[in-house]
Every structure is written in C-alpha cells, then in structure tokens.
C-alpha cells in the first residue's frame, strides 16, 4: 500500500514539474522529503505539520503548496486545496495547475471560475490526448451548469414527516403502484452490534400510521435498494457479503405468498456474478430487471444492465434470459441507481460522467420496445447540484418524485417528495385489477391473461398468470388500444377491448370481475377485438390477435361445434344491420377455414340489432352490442 501510493505521489509531482533541487536549502528539502513520506504513509496530520513548518521558513515553496493541495484534495477540503494551488501558481508557470484549479472550482459548483481556468489551460499545446477529451467534457459541463442555474426547473421538496422519517437514515423510497404505500430502507444506527439496514413500509394515505418493519425479509445482515413488482408480490433487493452470495453484493428476492413474504434467496446466475450487482429495478410487465454492475464486459466502472425475467421455475427460483448492456446510457465512469417507470418507457439513472453539474447527476431517457435509447438528458438544476445526487423514484401516476437527502444535518438522511416538472414527467399509465373466477362454482381460476397493444406492430403480447386467488394487476400506458384475453383449459376464453384515453388514471383504475364459462353445450363467449371496415364485412388487420386466439381455442377443443354470431348496435337500418351481421359472421368462418378449422364444425348466423346486451342509448352500450359471439352448439 505504501509503495503504490508513493508511486502515485511521485507521478503527480513529476506531472506538475516540481523542481525540488532548485528550491531552498538542504534542510528544507529534507523536511519536504519527510512530509512526502508521511503523506505516502497516510499520516496526513504529521505531514501537514511538517509542511506548515516549511512554509514558515519559505512561504513561496512551490512543492510544499502542491503537496498540501494534494492532501487537502484527498481530505475533501477543496477551499484549502484552492488556496495552496493559487499560492503555488504565483511561482510556477506549469499549466497543469490551471487544470487543477478548474477541477477544484468545478467540485465547489463555482462554474464560471472553473470555466475560466479550463479555458486558460486549453491554450497549452502539450495537453495529453486523454485529458483533451476530459477537458472538453468539463468545459461543456460548466456551460451546461451556468445555463441550468439561469433556467431552473420546478423543485420544492417536502419532507414526508415522522410517519416515514426518524432520527435514523431513510433512503431508497419505492412507492407501490396504487400510491398508497411506500417501501424504503432504514439504517438503524442504534443497532446493538453495528449499524444495520432493514426494510420498512409506510402508509402514505395516513399520517397517523407509523412505518413498520418487513420482518419476514429483514435479517441481522443488511438489506437495501429494493424494487417491487406491479402487484407488490415480488421484491428484488441488494444484499452484500452473504454466505450464499456470488460476489461482494448480489441481488436477492422474496415473494408474497398467502399474505407473507418468503425468506430471501439469492436470485442466481447469470444475474449475479463474482462482481458487484446491486440496485435492481423491475419493469411493471415483469419483462426486464434493470440493475447496476461492475462486471467485465461493460463500458466503464459501473454500468447499467438489463436482463430478461422469465418468471419462476417449479422450484421457485427466478429464470433469466437475455442479458444486455445499455450502451447508449453507459460511459467510462459510473452509472448507478436505475429506475424504470411503470410505463416501461421512461427511464431514470445517476451518472458521474455525462455532461452535468458535477459529481453524480440524475438523468432521464426513453427506452423503446426494441431497447433503443432516446432523449437522454440531465434533469436540470436544482434537482441536480454540484453535490452527488444519486437516485429517485417516481409515482406511477407520474407527477410525484421521491428521493433521499440530508438537508437537515441533525436528522441525517430523510425521504422527501416533490412535484415533478411537467417537462420531466413520464407518460401516464393506468392499470387493470382483475379477479378471475369459475362462473358456475365461483372458485378462483389461475388463468392466463394476454394483453396485446393494437397500436404496435413490433411490441410482443404480454402474458401473465393470475395468482392462486385468481387476481392479477396489469399496468397499461394511456393513449393506446388493447386486446385483453383471459384463457384457461376447460373454459371459454374471455375477450375485452380497452381503448384508453386520458380520463383513465391511477386514481380511476379498471376493475374487472371476470367469470369464465366452463366448456359445455349452450355456453358462449363475446369477442370484442374483431374489427371491420366501416359498414363493411372486411376484417381489419388489428383483429389478427383475437382471431388467432379463436383458432387456438378450436384446435385445442376439436370436439366442439360452434355457431359464429354477428351482432350490431341499433344505429342505421335494421334490415341493413341484419345483412351486415350475417356477412361479418361469415367472414370469421372464412378466416377460420383458411386456418385449417373444419368447416363442418362451424355455423354462421347474423342477428343484427335484435340481441342487445346493453342499452343502445349510450356510446358505451352501443360499443358492447357491436360484437362477435361464439356459441357451443354441440360436442
């Protein structure tokens, strides 16, 4: 350790072209060598004392000022560092001191002063190539910071109060999808043996209810940096130095079963390696787990990665798929604290290497379905400052952000919220909360739910299974149209059309109580995602997912003979409606026949507006009456 640090000091001093022999008497130089040796041994106090003695004899001793500047930099005493760099500069023409002064003023957030010294250093023609790139980035950051301070974003943080915060440190806030609860990490400083991180949950709807520990997951070891699934039944989190760990820090998981969290387990390979893996963020469709890692193969020190989450094996362990490095986000520095919003598009993270205010800044970006990253930008001042700003989460409704800060030094880290500037808000979402039961027995059915975005040709359908209580939660970005299908062996499948506009928000979610019809003669299902051209029987392309679902159903139940029924609302001429409904029913039969369903199993009939299932007096009622019905007529 001593020799490696001594080598660094020698290189630093050589870089600054210190000319020890040219200064002072032999006793002074002997004292300086002693001070430098003490510094290499991390004995800063004695080294500073020796340097002070040198400066009493020779106040302009350049080497001593530079050595003191180096020590004060290591000690984060930036103003003292600047003081000694300035004094050294008076008796040295080494241009590297200008760069060092630029760096020091930048760390203090004194951007105009930093930019001035960077520009002065830029005149030097002998700048190493690697430092040229760094210099360009720092100058760009200074200009960005000056402009950001002149054009601040809205930022009025509010302490969440004593039902969340305590004299201990609280951080890493995770709001639940419905916005009613907040899960967070608390550092218990008054722990019997040593400070310990545990999980707590608070009720955001009540100022009276004190945060409670999640006792099933908490252990005598540390747990922190958690993420929740949309239904709050899966938790991934960071744990370090565990006996079942792969590296220094790994990602662990727990599941909510019968109202209780299961004991935490390592999430396994290839997510975890011998390297550092931490700070997971799970997409609301359970498709990807984002995390930070310093594993080999990245672009910088700590990179942000994502890995496909394929659900759980029969043994209850996570199954993992494709692993990706988010190259468009990562730099040669550190990228940490990833957060994917509930819309699975808006993404937030911290970096110390992108253009910013200094230290770690917070950034936002958008991630397309294919993984392409767009619109990467700094979140601006005063969200970001010259200090480290390293993580935030955002409510599913998109207007409130949560973060941790030591704004009151006596309290330590507390959790704050603030209304997010409109230009930084993520795209809005709503959610479907469905309960699936057997229509006859009323028992819950752990059915498969498929959701198809009809506005996208590239986005894959989402498939999720209801739990043992027949319940499922699905997050849906607004301004899109969806086909919603529920299926289970032995039942007719359920079909629903969802056209989401701005009036749907998390304060007004879609609640569905779905009763699946057992397969038997006379049973029927209403299909709402078969679409036709206006006043025509020509089937539109967005009907394909629903029709393929019907093909699969008939292939899996080859003994069934069904009637395809066409229905309309009461708009228009009844005779025309009847004829149109017959032609549309026949179009479905023709499609099924083209996909190898035997024509002898199919009967078509149109009923026009004669069999309404809702009032034709409202737009919603007319929408429900325009449908295709599949009725089982024999087995």
């Amino acid at each position: 350790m001593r020799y490696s640090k001594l080598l660094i000091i020698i290189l630093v001093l050589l870089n600054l072209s210190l000319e020890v022999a040219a200064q002072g008497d032999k006793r002074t130089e002997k004292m300086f060598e002693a001070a430098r040796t003490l510094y290499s041994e991390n004995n800063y106090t004695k080294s500073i004392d020796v340097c002070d003695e040198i400066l009493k004899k020779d106040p302009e001793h350049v080497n001593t000022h530079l050595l003191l500047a180096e020590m004060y930099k290591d000690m984060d005493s930036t103003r003292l560092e600047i003081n000694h760099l300035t004094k050294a500069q008076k008796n040295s023409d080494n241009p590297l001191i200008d760069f060092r002064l630029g760096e020091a003023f930048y760390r203090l957030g004194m951007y105009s002063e930093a930019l001035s010294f960077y520009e002065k250093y830029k005149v030097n023609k002998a700048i190493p190539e690697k430092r040229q790139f760094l210099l360009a980035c720092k100058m760009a950051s200074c200009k960005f910071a000056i402009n950001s301070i002149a054009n601040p974003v809205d930022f009025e943080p509010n302490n969440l109060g004593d039902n969340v915060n305590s004299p201990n440190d609280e951080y890493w806030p995770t709001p639940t999808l419905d916005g009613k609860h907040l899960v967070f990490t608390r550092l218990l400083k008054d722990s019997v043996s040593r400070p310990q991180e545990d999980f707590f949950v608070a009720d955001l709807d009540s100022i009276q209810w004190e945060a409670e520990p999640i006792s099933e997951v908490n252990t005598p070891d540390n747990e922190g940096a958690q993420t929740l699934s949309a239904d709050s039944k899966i938790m991934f989190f960071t744990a370090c130095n565990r006996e079942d760990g792969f590296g220094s820090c790994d990602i662990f998981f727990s599941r909510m079963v019968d109202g209780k969290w299961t004991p935490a387990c390592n999430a396994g390979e290839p997510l975890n390696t011998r390297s550092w893996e931490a700070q997971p963020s799970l997409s609301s469709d359970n498709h990807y787990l984002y995390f930070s890692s310093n594993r080999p193969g990245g672009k910088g020190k700590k990179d942000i990665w994502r890995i496909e989450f394929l659900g759980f094996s029969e043994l209850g362990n996570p199954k993992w798929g494709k692993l990706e490095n988010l190259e468009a986000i990562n730099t040669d520095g550190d990228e940490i604290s990833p957060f994917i919003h509930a819309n699975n598009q808006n993404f937030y993270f911290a970096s110390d290497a992108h253009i910013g205010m200094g230290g770690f800044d917070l950034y936002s970006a958008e991630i397309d379905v294919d993984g392409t990253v767009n619109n990467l930008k700094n979140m601006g001042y005063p969200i970001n400052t010259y200090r480290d700003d390293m993580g935030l989460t955002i409510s599913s409704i998109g207007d409130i952000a949560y973060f941790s800060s030591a704004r009151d030094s006596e309290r330590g880290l507390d959790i704050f919220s603030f209304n997010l500037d409109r230009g930084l808000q993520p795209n809005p979402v709503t959610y479907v909360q469905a309960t699936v039961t057997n229509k006859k027995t009323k028992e819950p059915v752990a059915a498969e739910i498929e959701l198809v975005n009809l506005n996208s040709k590239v986005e894959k359908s989402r498939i999720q299974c209801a739990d043992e209580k027949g319940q499922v939660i699905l997050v849906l970005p607004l301004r899109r149209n969806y086909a919603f299908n529920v299926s289970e062996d032995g039942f007719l499948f359920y079909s629903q059309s969802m056209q989401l506009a701005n009036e749907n928000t998390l304060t007004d979610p879609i609640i569905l109580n779905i009763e699946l019809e057992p397969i038997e003669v006379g049973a029927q299902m209403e299909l709402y995602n078969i679409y036709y051209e206006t006043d025509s029987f020509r089937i539109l392309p967005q009907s394909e997912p629903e029709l393929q679902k019907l093909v699969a159903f008939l292939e899996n139940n080859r003994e069934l003979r069904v009637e395809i029924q066409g229905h309309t609302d009461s708009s228009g001429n009844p005779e025309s409606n009847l004829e149109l409904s017959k032609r549309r029913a026949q179009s479905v039969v023709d499609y099924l026949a083209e996909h190898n369903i035997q024509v002898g199993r199919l009967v078509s009939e149109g009923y026009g507006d004669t069999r309404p299932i809702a009032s034709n007096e409202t737009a919603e009622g007319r929408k429900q009456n325009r449908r295709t019905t599949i009725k089982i007529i024999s087995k």
Side-chain angles (χ1 to χ4, degrees):
M1 173 67 185
R2 174 182 174 181
Y3 293 108
S4 62
K5 184 164 186 179
L6 183 58
L7 178 60
I8 293 171
I9 301 308
I10 291 171
L11 291 173
V12 169
L13 297 179
L14 285 175
N15 280 335
L16 288 173
S17 300
L18 302 181
E19 300 173 0
V20 175
Q23 297 184 64
D25 56 30
K26 291 184 178 180
R27 184 173 182 276
T28 299
E29 301 315 325
K30 188 174 181 180
M31 291 174 66
F32 176 78
E33 289 300 329
R36 187 164 60 178
T37 300
L38 288 167
Y39 172 57
S40 70
E41 295 172 344
N42 294 322
N43 194 338
Y44 287 27
T45 302
K46 288 187 177 181
S47 181
I48 291 173
D49 288 342
V50 174
C51 287
D52 288 342
E53 287 296 319
I54 295 173
L55 293 178
K56 286 179 182 178
K57 294 183 60 178
D58 184 0
E60 296 181 349
H61 196 271
V62 174
N63 289 1
T64 302
H65 283 299
L66 291 174
L67 182 57
L68 282 167
E70 198 67 30
M71 283 190 280
Y72 286 126
K73 177 186 177 184
D74 291 351
M75 297 163 63
D76 290 328
S77 297
T78 308
R79 293 188 182 277
L80 288 173
E81 176 193 357
I82 290 173
N83 177 52
H84 287 284
L85 285 172
T86 303
K87 290 179 178 179
Q89 189 183 46
K90 291 179 180 179
N91 296 287
S92 173
D93 58 359
N94 194 312
L96 189 56
I97 298 178
D98 290 321
F99 182 78
R100 283 285 306 276
L101 281 165
E103 293 284 82
F105 278 110
Y106 180 73
R107 288 199 303 276
L108 288 178
M110 300 173 70
Y111 303 109
S112 296
E113 292 84 349
L115 183 60
S116 175
F117 280 107
Y118 284 141
E119 288 175 338
K120 186 177 177 183
Y121 176 67
K122 187 180 179 182
V123 177
N124 175 37
K125 296 181 179 180
I127 302 175
E129 185 176 347
K130 186 175 182 180
R131 193 175 298 137
Q132 288 179 12
F133 177 76
L134 177 61
L135 178 65
C137 290
K138 288 299 181 69
M139 292 179 67
S141 288
C142 287
K143 294 174 183 177
F144 168 83
I146 292 168
N147 181 68
S148 295
I149 292 172
N151 299 278
V153 298
D154 292 337
F155 182 68
E156 295 182 7
N158 300 301
N159 191 297
L160 290 191
D162 293 340
N163 64 320
V164 171
N165 295 314
S166 73
N168 293 292
D169 286 347
E170 285 82 23
Y171 42 92
W172 210 271
T174 303
T176 55
L177 178 67
D178 58 12
K180 294 180 180 180
H181 297 92
L182 189 77
V183 177
F184 60 93
T185 302
R186 175 176 287 170
L187 180 64
L188 301 171
K189 300 176 184 177
D190 55 354
S191 178
V192 175
S193 57
R194 54 185 169 82
Q196 176 191 342
E197 291 178 311
D198 277 346
F199 293 129
F200 283 74
V201 59
D203 189 341
L204 293 177
D205 282 351
S206 171
I207 60 173
Q208 304 296 327
W209 193 73
E210 188 176 351
E212 294 184 351
I214 304 179
S215 55
E216 300 98 339
V217 183
N218 293 334
T219 69
D221 293 317
N222 292 324
E223 299 86 20
Q226 71 288 336
T227 182
L228 294 173
S229 60
D231 60 5
S232 297
K233 293 184 178 180
I234 306 172
M235 180 194 295
F236 290 100
F237 64 92
T238 308
C240 302
N241 303 315
R242 295 284 181 96
E243 289 185 1
D244 55 345
F246 291 71
S248 58
C249 290
D250 282 4
I251 294 173
F252 284 66
F253 76 97
S254 177
R255 302 173 70 183
M256 178 71 74
V257 178
D258 295 329
K260 292 185 178 182
W261 290 103
T262 61
C265 294
N266 193 297
E269 298 176 302
L271 170 61
N272 292 317
T273 67
R274 293 182 179 180
S275 300
W276 179 90
E277 281 83 29
Q279 304 171 342
S281 181
L282 182 63
S283 61
S284 65
D285 58 3
N286 291 355
H287 191 187
Y288 288 107
L289 186 74
Y290 295 81
F291 63 100
S292 182
S293 175
N294 62 357
R295 64 177 64 200
K299 286 181 66 176
K301 300 172 185 176
K302 292 176 181 175
D303 277 9
I304 292 175
W305 303 70
R306 74 176 185 178
I307 190 169
E308 281 188 301
F309 175 46
L310 305 177
F312 292 95
S313 68
E314 292 182 359
L315 296 176
N317 298 316
K319 296 187 296 183
W320 304 110
K322 182 181 178 183
L323 177 70
E324 300 175 66
N325 182 286
L326 298 187
E327 294 185 6
I329 283 175
N330 295 318
T331 66
D332 59 357
D334 285 329
E335 277 69 44
I336 59 173
S337 305
F339 173 73
I340 184 72
H341 185 257
N343 63 24
N344 298 323
Q345 180 183 18
N346 291 94
F347 187 74
Y348 304 84
F349 66 100
S351 172
D352 65 356
H354 285 285
I355 300 299
M357 309 285 293
F360 278 97
D361 274 17
L362 294 167
Y363 299 81
S364 65
E366 295 176 6
I367 299 180
D368 290 344
V369 175
D370 61 359
T372 302
V373 176
N374 299 302
N375 299 327
L376 193 158
K377 62 181 179 180
N378 187 293
M379 294 187 71
Y381 175 86
I383 294 176
N384 290 317
T385 66
Y386 69 90
R387 298 183 178 91
D388 286 337
D389 303 286
M390 293 193 293
L392 86 169
T393 54
I394 298 174
S395 66
S396 298
I397 204 168
D399 59 344
I400 298 176
Y402 297 90
F403 72 107
S404 183
S405 175
R407 291 171 180 266
D408 184 344
S409 58
E410 293 183 1
R411 291 181 59 98
L413 286 169
D414 276 358
I415 294 174
F416 292 76
S417 68
F418 66 95
N419 292 325
L420 202 59
D421 188 278
R422 185 172 296 276
L424 297 172
Q425 290 184 11
N427 296 326
V429 298
T430 187
Y431 68 92
V432 176
Q433 183 174 320
T435 302
V436 187
T437 58
N438 183 320
K439 187 174 183 179
K440 278 199 165 185
T441 67
K442 308 303 179 184
E443 294 291 320
V445 178
E448 180 182 273
I449 290 87
E450 181 181 28
L451 192 72
V452 181
N453 179 3
L454 298 177
N455 298 104
S456 174
K457 294 181 180 179
V458 297
E459 185 176 339
K460 296 180 180 178
S461 63
R462 287 168 51 188
I463 297 177
Q464 197 166 326
C465 290
D467 62 18
E468 67 277 2
K469 296 181 180 179
Q471 297 176 345
V472 69
I473 290 179
L474 293 168
V475 179
L476 309 177
L478 300 183
R479 307 187 189 104
R480 300 178 185 178
N481 297 327
Y482 297 90
F484 182 84
N485 294 311
V486 182
S487 58
E488 178 67 10
D489 290 344
F491 295 88
L492 301 181
F493 70 86
Y494 170 90
S495 169
Q496 176 70 280
S497 173
M498 295 181 182
Q499 298 178 356
L500 302 185
N502 285 322
E503 62 266 19
N504 294 100
T505 69
L506 282 171
T507 59
D508 184 27
I510 301 168
I511 307 298
L512 296 177
N513 293 305
I514 300 168
E515 295 182 322
L516 292 185
E517 288 261 15
I519 296 175
E520 57 186 26
V521 175
Q524 61 185 41
M525 54 185 172
E526 312 292 350
L527 305 185
Y528 289 99
N529 295 299
I530 299 178
Y531 304 98
Y532 304 89
E533 292 182 2
T534 304
D535 295 327
S536 171
F537 55 89
R538 186 183 298 276
I539 297 175
L540 292 173
Q542 55 262 48
S543 308
E544 190 71 18
E546 186 95 313
L547 290 170
Q548 282 298 313
K549 195 80 176 177
L550 180 55
V551 169
F553 173 79
L554 293 173
E555 286 180 341
N556 293 333
N557 298 275
R558 296 177 180 272
E559 75 282 5
L560 298 183
R561 188 165 180 263
V562 299
E563 180 184 53
I564 314 295
Q565 301 178 0
H567 301 277
T568 69
D569 59 31
S570 61
S571 303
N573 181 280
E575 289 78 13
S576 299
N577 287 340
L578 181 63
E579 181 62 25
L580 182 61
S581 67
K582 290 181 177 181
R583 286 175 173 259
R584 287 181 170 178
Q586 185 58 47
S587 294
V588 176
V589 169
D590 293 341
Y591 179 94
L592 296 173
E594 291 172 0
H595 288 78
N596 301 317
I597 302 299
Q598 294 178 347
V599 176
R601 298 173 57 197
L602 308 173
V603 176
S604 71
E605 187 57 76
Y607 294 92
D609 57 14
T610 62
R611 295 187 178 183
I613 58 174
S615 170
N616 279 301
E617 299 302 316
T618 66
E620 181 59 32
R622 291 189 293 273
K623 176 184 171 183
Q624 292 185 49
N625 290 332
R626 297 190 298 270
R627 68 198 190 278
T628 301
T629 302
I630 310 299
K631 181 178 181 179
I632 299 175
I633 55 178
S634 67
K635 293 181 69 172

